[in-house]
């Protein structure tokens, strides 16, 4: 038996229980094949072992491995604790994937200026997820490959490109953070989806040559140039991205945001920053008026609700106010960030919300205590209920003071 009893402090059962195999407990700091129950000091020995078969999962408990590793079987490599670091011993890739159906998960890869972090050479069905890849000439590079899933990686300080694609069909690039690189993505003859990523502080966020597919709900800001597309044979749908500013037009398709040359790029809509201020009646009292200030990125320049898209979380929004106190910084979740504003006297209040190059000013006459009748949408006060009803529209909420 693995588990005889399980104790819970709140009389409820968890969905799963994490167990550490005995081979890990009795041999800490090693590399493990849980199926064979073998452990190793060197990852390449674990891969090359005749008992290691396609479909095996190799778990790395070792904190530091130095070498250049060749994966020639259909394996999953993942860190036991998230602290497994790999560094190259020469200028060859830290990981060369020479087999189909390989997954590399949750590793720390500290490459060198002339080395690749992960190199995929003509292989299919590859997953690269949750890794921290720094300091290589390419963070991830793939040539002549199909069905790549690149998700949730942090790629930093690549001298040529964070992600390099050449002749890649059906690539899915989701929820990565790529910054401080020459190119966030450099692509030649590829197609797929680039969705919900952050490209910041790069020389060029995305360089797409002969690429077609979808580039949506990315945060592309503080790059010298946002996106370049040349000689694309198909349509690039680049709608509903955040470009660091509400007003990226007049849009000549040249310059800081998008540069195109013999390419069909659709970018009619882009995300815009808005601010909403609403009273928090539950927290307000006779001495403090409390308001919730919401920075909102869930609409585009055409006013359409884009909340069904997935803008990356964690974008820092800065708040300031001319009266009262407010949280100075909040981070986006599902396209919104909220701060709490507290005031102790009535009057005109200017709240400024800043994200990247965009500043939004919201000016309102805010009160400590609510008097009379109040329309929660328009934030207007009225002397009586009938007056409030006459000035309301369907769906409005009318609030009455004590």
């Amino acid at each position: 038996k693995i588990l005889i009893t399980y104790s819970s402090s709140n009389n409820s059962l968890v969905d799963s229980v994490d167990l550490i195999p005995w081979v890990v407990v009795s041999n800490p700091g090693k590399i493990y094949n849980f199926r064979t129950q073998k452990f190793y000091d060197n990852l390449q020995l674990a891969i090359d072992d005749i008992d290691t078969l396609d479909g095996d999962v190799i778990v790395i408990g070792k904190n530091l491995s130095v070498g250049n590793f060749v994966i020639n079987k259909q394996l999953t490599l993942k860190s036991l604790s998230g602290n497994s670091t790999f560094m190259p011993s020469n200028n060859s890739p830290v990981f060369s994937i020479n087999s189909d159906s390989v997954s590399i998960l949750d590793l720390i890869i500290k490459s060198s200026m002339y080395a690749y972090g992960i190199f995929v050479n003509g292989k299919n069905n590859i997953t690269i997820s949750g890794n921290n890849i720094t300091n290589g000439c390419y963070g991830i590079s793939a040539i002549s490959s199909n069905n790549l899933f690149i998700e949730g990686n942090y790629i930093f300080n690549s001298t040529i490109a964070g992600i390099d694609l050449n002749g890649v069909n059906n690539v899915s690039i989701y929820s990565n953070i790529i910054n401080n690189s020459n190119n966030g993505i450099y692509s030649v003859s590829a197609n797929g989806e680039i969705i919900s990523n952050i490209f910041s502080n790069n020389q060029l966020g995305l360089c797409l040559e002969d690429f077609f597919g979808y580039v949506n709900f990315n945060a592309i800001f503080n790059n010298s140039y946002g996106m370049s597309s040349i000689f694309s044979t198909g349509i690039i749908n680049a709608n509903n991205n955040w470009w660091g500013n509400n007003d990226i037009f007049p849009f000549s398709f040249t310059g800081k945001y998008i540069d195109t040359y013999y390419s069909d790029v659709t970018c009619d809509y882009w995300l815009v920053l808005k601010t909403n201020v609403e009273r928090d009646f539950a927290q307000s009292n006779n001495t403090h008026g409390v308001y919730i200030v919401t920075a909102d990125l869930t609409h585009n320049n055409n006013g359409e609700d884009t909340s069904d898209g997935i803008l990356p979380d964690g974008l820092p929004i800065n708040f300031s106010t001319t009266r009262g106190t407010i949280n100075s910084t909040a981070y986006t979740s599902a396209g919104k960030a909220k701060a709490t504003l507290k005031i102790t006297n009535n009057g005109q209040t200017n709240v400024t919300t800043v994200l990247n190059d965009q500043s939004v000013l919201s000016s309102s006459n805010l009160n400590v205590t609510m008097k009379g009748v109040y329309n929660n949408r328009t934030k207007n006060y009225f002397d009586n209920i009938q007056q409030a009803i006459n000035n309301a529209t369907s769906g409005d909420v009318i609030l009455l003071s004590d």
Side-chain angles (χ1 to χ4, degrees):
K1 292 183 178 179
I2 296 176
L3 185 67
I4 298 176
T5 61
Y6 174 77
S7 300
S8 172
S9 59
N10 59 3
N11 298 319
S12 64
L13 294 177
V14 296
D15 294 331
S16 62
V17 177
D18 293 328
L19 301 176
I20 300 176
W22 179 249
V23 67
V24 175
V25 175
S26 57
N27 301 280
K30 302 291 185 179
I31 295 165
Y32 314 96
N33 184 323
F34 286 171
R35 183 186 62 81
T36 65
Q37 292 293 289
K38 286 188 173 184
F39 59 91
Y40 310 84
D41 290 314
N42 181 279
L43 175 61
Q44 196 64 57
L45 293 177
I47 294 170
D48 294 340
D49 190 327
I50 192 172
D51 291 331
T52 299
L53 305 178
D54 287 346
D56 279 355
V57 177
I58 304 299
V59 179
I60 296 101
K62 190 174 181 179
N63 286 335
L64 177 62
S65 298
V66 178
N68 305 85
F69 304 95
V70 178
I71 307 170
N72 50 20
K73 298 176 183 178
Q74 298 180 15
L75 303 174
T76 294
L77 274 57
K78 68 177 183 178
S79 175
L80 179 68
S81 63
N83 296 319
S84 303
T85 299
F86 289 83
M87 300 175 65
S89 57
N90 57 50
N91 289 332
S92 296
V94 180
F95 289 99
S96 295
I97 298 178
N98 292 347
S99 173
D100 294 338
S101 303
V102 168
S103 297
I104 297 181
L105 312 176
D106 304 326
L107 303 183
I108 300 170
I109 301 171
K110 295 183 178 180
S111 192
S112 63
M113 182 182 295
Y114 301 106
Y116 298 37
I118 299 174
F119 179 53
V120 184
N121 186 8
K123 299 305 172 184
N124 308 311
N125 306 318
I126 305 300
T127 297
I128 301 170
S129 177
N131 303 284
N132 186 310
I133 307 172
T134 58
N135 299 335
C137 59
Y138 296 103
I140 300 168
S141 180
I143 63 171
S144 304
S145 301
N146 300 300
N147 304 325
L148 268 61
F149 184 73
I150 302 172
E151 180 263 341
N153 302 283
Y154 174 65
I155 305 174
F156 176 83
N157 202 29
S158 300
T159 57
I160 301 178
I163 297 176
D164 170 61
L165 307 171
N166 193 328
V168 175
N169 179 59
N170 191 29
V171 61
S172 299
I173 301 175
Y174 298 150
S175 303
N176 301 278
I177 299 174
I178 306 177
N179 57 27
N180 285 81
S181 299
N182 192 42
N183 297 279
I185 293 179
Y186 185 85
S187 170
V188 178
S189 299
N191 64 80
E193 297 181 335
I194 303 172
I195 295 176
S196 301
N197 304 278
I198 297 176
F199 301 95
S200 67
N201 300 301
N202 304 291
Q203 178 66 23
L204 178 54
L206 300 94
C207 182
L208 307 179
E209 181 177 340
D210 191 19
F211 176 91
F212 65 91
Y214 294 88
V215 181
N216 309 125
F217 294 101
N218 301 284
I220 306 167
F221 58 91
N222 291 348
N223 306 284
S224 297
Y225 298 93
M227 187 178 97
S228 174
S229 175
I230 59 175
F231 298 114
S232 289
T233 56
I235 297 174
I236 299 177
N237 181 328
N239 284 317
N240 293 331
N241 295 288
W242 168 250
W243 296 94
N245 196 295
N246 282 356
D247 302 310
I248 66 173
F249 271 31
F251 209 152
S252 62
F253 284 94
T254 59
K256 182 176 180 181
Y257 301 109
I258 294 183
D259 180 22
T260 66
Y261 185 75
Y262 286 97
S263 295
D264 189 353
V265 178
T266 301
C267 187
D268 298 320
Y269 311 113
W270 56 93
L271 301 180
V272 296
L273 176 67
K274 295 183 177 181
T275 301
N276 185 43
V277 180
E278 290 188 344
R279 187 180 182 92
D280 186 339
F281 289 93
Q283 299 300 319
S284 297
N285 54 42
N286 290 330
T287 60
H288 289 84
V290 179
Y291 292 81
I292 302 301
V293 182
T294 302
D296 190 338
L297 287 160
T298 63
H299 293 79
N300 63 25
N301 59 301
N302 199 41
E304 296 169 334
D305 186 343
T306 60
S307 57
D308 57 343
I310 308 172
L311 189 71
D313 289 342
L315 300 179
I317 309 288
N318 295 320
F319 298 89
S320 62
T321 179
T322 56
R323 294 176 61 252
T325 61
I326 193 170
N327 312 62
S328 60
T329 304
Y331 295 87
T332 58
S333 176
K336 296 181 179 181
K338 296 185 178 183
T340 301
L341 169 66
K342 296 180 180 180
I343 60 172
T344 56
N345 49 72
N346 301 336
Q348 196 71 19
T349 306
N350 296 330
V351 175
T352 302
T353 305
V354 178
L355 174 61
N356 308 136
D357 297 329
Q358 183 62 48
S359 174
V360 176
L361 176 66
S362 177
S363 183
S364 305
N365 187 19
L366 303 182
N367 295 278
V368 175
T369 57
M370 188 183 77
K371 299 178 180 180
V373 184
Y374 179 77
N375 185 309
N376 196 42
R377 178 183 62 84
T378 65
K379 301 175 179 56
N380 290 326
Y381 290 90
F382 302 92
D383 294 328
N384 57 67
I385 295 175
Q386 191 60 57
Q387 187 182 51
I389 293 173
N390 293 341
N391 287 273
T393 60
S394 297
D396 281 359
V397 177
I398 305 299
L399 300 170
L400 308 178
S401 65
D402 296 337

mmCIF file of all heavy atoms in Angstrom, residues 302-317:
data_model
loop_
_atom_site.group_PDB
_atom_site.id
_atom_site.type_symbol
_atom_site.label_atom_id
_atom_site.label_comp_id
_atom_site.label_asym_id
_atom_site.label_seq_id
_atom_site.Cartn_x
_atom_site.Cartn_y
_atom_site.Cartn_z
ATOM 1 N N ASN A 302 -12.463 49.629 -31.169
ATOM 2 C CA ASN A 302 -13.803 49.684 -31.738
ATOM 3 C C ASN A 302 -14.881 49.515 -30.682
ATOM 4 O O ASN A 302 -16.066 49.426 -31.009
ATOM 5 C CB ASN A 302 -13.948 48.604 -32.828
ATOM 6 C CG ASN A 302 -15.097 48.857 -33.762
ATOM 7 O OD1 ASN A 302 -15.348 49.993 -34.170
ATOM 8 N ND2 ASN A 302 -15.837 47.806 -34.103
ATOM 9 N N GLY A 303 -14.484 49.442 -29.423
ATOM 10 C CA GLY A 303 -15.440 49.290 -28.331
ATOM 11 C C GLY A 303 -15.917 47.885 -28.104
ATOM 12 O O GLY A 303 -16.789 47.650 -27.258
ATOM 13 N N GLU A 304 -15.364 46.911 -28.795
ATOM 14 C CA GLU A 304 -15.812 45.528 -28.663
ATOM 15 C C GLU A 304 -15.226 44.891 -27.403
ATOM 16 O O GLU A 304 -14.058 45.114 -27.059
ATOM 17 C CB GLU A 304 -15.387 44.716 -29.892
ATOM 18 C CG GLU A 304 -16.026 45.189 -31.179
ATOM 19 C CD GLU A 304 -15.390 44.552 -32.408
ATOM 20 O OE1 GLU A 304 -14.209 44.163 -32.344
ATOM 21 O OE2 GLU A 304 -16.084 44.469 -33.431
ATOM 22 N N ASP A 305 -16.047 44.083 -26.739
ATOM 23 C CA ASP A 305 -15.611 43.352 -25.557
ATOM 24 C C ASP A 305 -14.716 42.200 -25.998
ATOM 25 O O ASP A 305 -15.130 41.321 -26.738
ATOM 26 C CB ASP A 305 -16.832 42.821 -24.800
ATOM 27 C CG ASP A 305 -16.474 42.176 -23.469
ATOM 28 O OD1 ASP A 305 -15.296 41.839 -23.260
ATOM 29 O OD2 ASP A 305 -17.383 41.998 -22.637
ATOM 30 N N THR A 306 -13.466 42.212 -25.531
ATOM 31 C CA THR A 306 -12.509 41.165 -25.910
ATOM 32 C C THR A 306 -12.154 40.272 -24.730
ATOM 33 O O THR A 306 -11.125 39.594 -24.740
ATOM 34 C CB THR A 306 -11.222 41.799 -26.465
ATOM 35 O OG1 THR A 306 -10.631 42.627 -25.450
ATOM 36 C CG2 THR A 306 -11.518 42.646 -27.691
ATOM 37 N N SER A 307 -12.993 40.271 -23.707
ATOM 38 C CA SER A 307 -12.662 39.537 -22.485
ATOM 39 C C SER A 307 -12.626 38.031 -22.677
ATOM 40 O O SER A 307 -12.118 37.306 -21.811
ATOM 41 C CB SER A 307 -13.650 39.884 -21.364
ATOM 42 O OG SER A 307 -14.981 39.604 -21.756
ATOM 43 N N ASP A 308 -13.155 37.536 -23.818
ATOM 44 C CA ASP A 308 -13.029 36.103 -24.082
ATOM 45 C C ASP A 308 -11.636 35.743 -24.564
ATOM 46 O O ASP A 308 -11.277 34.573 -24.633
ATOM 47 C CB ASP A 308 -14.071 35.645 -25.112
ATOM 48 C CG ASP A 308 -13.980 36.416 -26.418
ATOM 49 O OD1 ASP A 308 -13.364 37.492 -26.424
ATOM 50 O OD2 ASP A 308 -14.530 35.933 -27.422
ATOM 51 N N GLY A 309 -10.811 36.739 -24.900
ATOM 52 C CA GLY A 309 -9.414 36.506 -25.224
ATOM 53 C C GLY A 309 -8.584 36.418 -23.954
ATOM 54 O O GLY A 309 -9.075 36.644 -22.843
ATOM 55 N N ILE A 310 -7.321 36.075 -24.111
ATOM 56 C CA ILE A 310 -6.476 35.846 -22.943
ATOM 57 C C ILE A 310 -5.247 36.735 -23.039
ATOM 58 O O ILE A 310 -4.214 36.359 -23.586
ATOM 59 C CB ILE A 310 -6.058 34.363 -22.838
ATOM 60 C CG1 ILE A 310 -7.279 33.444 -22.909
ATOM 61 C CG2 ILE A 310 -5.310 34.110 -21.534
ATOM 62 C CD1 ILE A 310 -6.939 31.971 -23.007
ATOM 63 N N LEU A 311 -5.360 37.954 -22.528
ATOM 64 C CA LEU A 311 -4.202 38.821 -22.443
ATOM 65 C C LEU A 311 -3.314 38.332 -21.298
ATOM 66 O O LEU A 311 -3.806 37.880 -20.276
ATOM 67 C CB LEU A 311 -4.639 40.263 -22.176
ATOM 68 C CG LEU A 311 -3.552 41.326 -22.265
ATOM 69 C CD1 LEU A 311 -3.130 41.531 -23.712
ATOM 70 C CD2 LEU A 311 -4.044 42.641 -21.681
ATOM 71 N N PRO A 312 -1.988 38.376 -21.467
ATOM 72 C CA PRO A 312 -1.121 37.881 -20.384
ATOM 73 C C PRO A 312 -1.377 38.590 -19.063
ATOM 74 O O PRO A 312 -1.604 39.798 -19.018
ATOM 75 C CB PRO A 312 0.286 38.192 -20.902
ATOM 76 C CG PRO A 312 0.153 38.300 -22.382
ATOM 77 C CD PRO A 312 -1.217 38.839 -22.633
ATOM 78 N N ASP A 313 -1.353 37.834 -17.989
ATOM 79 C CA ASP A 313 -1.463 38.402 -16.648
ATOM 80 C C ASP A 313 -0.130 39.043 -16.252
ATOM 81 O O ASP A 313 0.919 38.810 -16.851
ATOM 82 C CB ASP A 313 -1.824 37.322 -15.634
ATOM 83 C CG ASP A 313 -3.259 36.834 -15.776
ATOM 84 O OD1 ASP A 313 -4.069 37.537 -16.407
ATOM 85 O OD2 ASP A 313 -3.552 35.736 -15.258
ATOM 86 N N GLY A 314 -0.203 39.842 -15.206
ATOM 87 C CA GLY A 314 1.011 40.356 -14.594
ATOM 88 C C GLY A 314 1.546 41.647 -15.164
ATOM 89 O O GLY A 314 2.676 42.038 -14.846
ATOM 90 N N LEU A 315 0.762 42.362 -15.993
ATOM 91 C CA LEU A 315 1.224 43.653 -16.495
ATOM 92 C C LEU A 315 1.079 44.687 -15.382
ATOM 93 O O LEU A 315 0.012 44.826 -14.787
ATOM 94 C CB LEU A 315 0.406 44.076 -17.716
ATOM 95 C CG LEU A 315 0.455 43.130 -18.924
ATOM 96 C CD1 LEU A 315 -0.434 43.669 -20.041
ATOM 97 C CD2 LEU A 315 1.882 42.940 -19.413
ATOM 98 N N PRO A 316 2.135 45.456 -15.065
ATOM 99 C CA PRO A 316 2.064 46.394 -13.939
ATOM 100 C C PRO A 316 1.356 47.693 -14.317
ATOM 101 O O PRO A 316 1.734 48.371 -15.271
ATOM 102 C CB PRO A 316 3.542 46.655 -13.627
ATOM 103 C CG PRO A 316 4.245 46.442 -14.935
ATOM 104 C CD PRO A 316 3.467 45.387 -15.678
ATOM 105 N N ILE A 317 0.306 48.026 -13.591
ATOM 106 C CA ILE A 317 -0.437 49.270 -13.770
ATOM 107 C C ILE A 317 -0.088 50.202 -12.614
ATOM 108 O O ILE A 317 -0.169 49.814 -11.444
ATOM 109 C CB ILE A 317 -1.957 49.018 -13.790
ATOM 110 C CG1 ILE A 317 -2.336 47.920 -14.782
ATOM 111 C CG2 ILE A 317 -2.689 50.315 -14.085
ATOM 112 C CD1 ILE A 317 -2.227 48.291 -16.219
#
